[in-house]
Amino acid sequence: MSNAPAVVPEGVELTDGFHLLMDALELNGITNIYGLLGIPVTEIGRMWQARGNKFYSFRNEQNAGYAASVAGYLTKKPGVCVTVSAPGFLNGLTALANATTNCFPMILISGSSEREIVDLQQGDYEEMDQLNIARPHCKASYRINRPEDIGVAVVRAVRTALSGRPGGVYLDIPARLFSTVMAADEGKKSLWAPVDPAPAQIPAPSAVQRAAELIKNAKKPLILFGKGAAYAQCDADILAFVEETGIPFTPMSMAKGLVSDLHPQCAAAARSLVLQESDVVILVGARLNWLLAHGKGKTWGVAPKKFVQIDIQANEIDSNVKIEAPLVGDVQSCINALRAELKGYKSADQAAWASSVAEKHNSTRAKLASKLSTATPVMNYHNSLGAIRDVLKNYPDICLVNEGANALDNARMVIDQYLPRKRVDTGTWGVMGIGMGSAAAAAVETGKPVVAICGDSAFGFSAMEYETLTRYNLPVTVIVMNNGGIYRGDEASPDHQFSCMLFNPNTRYDQLSIALGGEGVRVNTPEELAKALEDSIKSGKTTIIDAIIDPAAGVESGRIGNLNIVSTIGKK
Ligand code: ADP
Ligand code: TZD
Ligand code: MG
């Protein structure tokens, strides 16, 4: 291996690694880069901006990475994040791993130290074997050693991130490569854009027939949408499938709005009933992981159940339970193949099931509605979120970002989504800290206002990034659900120290906003909250609403308390 500069005859026009990287990214349709600069990548930001592109500069690489991954999810193009070496790379790696876990296409590009020093562990500036450290956390980890390989590396990264199950790719660029020169015309010839980087994957006709037979024979079918279905961007086909079959559907959290939560076939509020009593479940871009109790146990009831599963990743099938009818392919191809096979089919048995599901769904919503409008001395999750829901009803195309425990679980339940890909949350890992990065990307990529509902703990993970939002003047309203702690704010402290679950009760998130160049308001009632939110959306100004929530309103671990581990020893 040699990355010594090529010998270029005098008088020949030159290019270098920096320029070739920019050219390659532009050729691949990338316009926005999220990142944090320093040695050796600083020039990337300056040059990218000088070319008229957008470089969103963050305060911590993890948040830049979350932004890139959400950009990837929303646009179906890989989101790009640029970081410095070792510590910057490691901060970004958390987001790359999270992107891969969530099946979001993303490319992390990090500068690295000189290989000959790193490989002999001679203590270079920010020395680290980044290539190998990244490898288990993403779909692929590539290093570029020569300027003439930049083009192929970027194409390979784009194709790897997008094709099949989307995910993260790491591109390692040793510092010296950035300034390594080659002849400009040779460099130009080394670049190309990939043809069809995310090819359709068509399911086998026999697999489609098998699935259709199962559906036709079902008495109590259910469609379950996951974020893979939302990512696929075939919204009209999905809606047609739902309406042609008449089958009730329930969305996973980020698939909310793929078909409107107000659609008459939506069974979200009858979730326990449909999971337990359905006989055929059609999974569309949703894994049977912990979020679906692995497809078994009491969540799924005792009624015998058969699964149809649409997924692009063949070995996702049978990952937890037997899949009777696997449909391996992309969501759009599979859904349309199923529609063709099911043409004219709507079972009378299913109509009875559908109406009993609708009845349950509507009665649960009615019960919830009364809780949402019940006043309490201090706001709780229900009446605060009820107020937010009523405002957001009039802004269906606002993207909602949501993190926290109670702040997450209640918002998911209370706030309806009306349009596809308008909800970004803590995803498969349930990771706190996605808030500000996701909000930035959602605002940048959609060009529309964003509302982030964050637990006070969750917000703290990326709070300094709020300055990034104000700096770029992004129309984001952050509602901090301030209950003074993780899950609850009323835990008793031991005599010698503040409780490990509590925060300083004097924290003023509204004033933090003002300090960081935004608007801030503290609210104590649902009416004040509704007004503040409405004002903020209308003004388009970056705002924090510090919403005071009853410290006693939350429950430990939100709605996943069943996963919490507690000691039974020595408790009085
Ligand atoms: P959720 O958390 O919403 O249940 P998951 O992230 O668990 O969703 O599942 C998403 C699934 O969607 C993954 O198994 C992934 O392979 C699959 N997927 C992603 N994009 C596509 C696509 N275009 N076509 C088919 N399957 C897809
Ligand atoms: N660290 C990371 C990166 N992700 C996590 N999920 C956690 C820690 C553990 N955790 C949760 O699962 S929820 C949560 C933590 C710290 C915070 C809950 O408190 P909150 O929300 O203030 O955000 P509520 O409304 O008080 O429940
Ligand atoms: Mg809290």
Side-chain angles (χ1 to χ4, degrees), residues 464-483:
M464 193 62 210
E465 222 59 74
Y466 184 76
E467 187 273 329
T468 307
L469 303 181
T470 64
R471 186 167 12 109
Y472 293 108
N473 206 11
L474 296 174
V476 177
T477 307
V478 181
I479 303 172
V480 180
M481 304 294 274
N482 185 355
N483 67 342

Side-chain angles (χ1 to χ4, degrees), residues 473-524:
N473 206 11
L474 296 174
V476 177
T477 307
V478 181
I479 303 172
V480 180
M481 304 294 274
N482 185 355
N483 67 342
I486 299 178
Y487 313 137
R488 295 172 68 96
D490 63 347
E491 186 156 315
S493 292
D495 295 338
H496 65 286
Q497 206 190 14
F498 212 66
S499 161
C500 52
M501 302 303 276
L502 299 182
F503 303 129
N504 189 332
N506 301 320
T507 308
R508 295 292 305 242
Y509 296 101
D510 52 333
Q511 293 182 3
L512 176 72
S513 173
I514 293 162
L516 296 178
E519 306 287 314
V521 47
R522 172 172 268 207
V523 299
N524 290 287

Side-chain angles (χ1 to χ4, degrees), residues 194 200 210 241 297 323 338 367 392 417 499 523 533 549:
R210 192 188 297 120
F241 175 66
I323 301 298
L338 259 187
K367 271 186 225 147
L392 293 184
Q417 306 284 155
S499 161
V523 299
L533 179 56
I549 303 293

Side-chain angles (χ1 to χ4, degrees), residues 40 85 110-114 128 130 143 170 172-176 178:
S85 2
S110 298
S112 59
S113 304
E114 298 313 331
M128 177 173 271
Q130 296 166 200
R143 176 185 284 140
Y170 174 60
D172 190 78
I173 310 192
R176 193 186 299 149
F178 288 116

Side-chain angles (χ1 to χ4, degrees), residues 103-322:
C103 317
F104 298 162
M106 167 180 171
I107 301 172
L108 175 68
I109 300 176
S110 298
S112 59
S113 304
E114 298 313 331
R115 284 196 55 192
E116 55 275 25
I117 305 180
V118 174
D119 291 351
L120 273 173
Q121 299 185 19
Q122 292 174 310
D124 203 357
Y125 170 68
E126 296 193 346
E127 174 179 298
M128 177 173 271
D129 182 8
Q130 296 166 200
L131 182 77
N132 285 306
I133 288 168
R135 189 152 278 148
H137 303 292
C138 54
K139 285 181 80 176
S141 181
Y142 304 125
R143 176 185 284 140
I144 315 175
N145 289 302
R146 306 180 302 175
E148 61 266 38
D149 291 335
I150 289 175
V152 68
V154 170
V155 166
R156 206 154 154 65
V158 167
R159 187 177 285 283
T160 304
L162 288 178
S163 58
R165 171 181 279 174
V169 176
Y170 174 60
L171 268 187
D172 190 78
I173 310 192
R176 193 186 299 149
L177 179 69
F178 288 116
S179 58
T180 304
V181 298
M182 68 181 288
D185 62 340
E186 287 301 314
K188 196 166 179 199
K189 279 190 235 155
S190 71
L191 306 178
W192 74 92
V195 176
D196 196 11
Q201 297 193 19
I202 317 288
S206 59
V208 178
Q209 279 160 15
R210 192 188 297 120
E213 274 315 298
L214 203 59
I215 295 167
K216 285 181 190 167
N217 289 318
K219 301 250 179 311
K220 298 178 171 181
L222 170 69
I223 303 168
L224 213 159
F225 292 120
K227 57 183 171 308
Y231 171 81
Q233 291 195 19
C234 53
D235 311 329
D237 301 319
I238 297 261
L239 180 63
F241 175 66
V242 165
E243 295 190 335
E244 285 162 11
T245 61
I247 299 174
F249 70 90
T250 186
M252 299 301 286
S253 65
M254 283 179 60
K256 268 168 73 80
L258 175 55
V259 181
S260 168
D261 280 338
L262 301 185
H263 192 280
Q265 285 163 251
C266 181
R271 186 178 157 100
S272 302
L273 175 116
V274 290
L275 293 191
Q276 285 170 11
E277 295 193 7
S278 54
D279 61 352
V280 170
V281 179
I282 307 156
L283 297 164
V284 187
R287 285 170 285 189
L288 281 174
N289 58 13
W290 70 279
L291 286 156
L292 282 169
H294 304 282
K296 52 200 171 191
K298 62 178 191 299
T299 306
W300 290 89
V302 290
K305 219 163 294 284
K306 291 182 172 166
F307 289 96
V308 175
Q309 182 165 20
I310 296 178
D311 207 292
I312 203 156
Q313 176 84 10
N315 70 353
E316 187 56 43
I317 309 299
D318 288 337
S319 62
N320 284 272
V321 295
K322 179 177 182 185

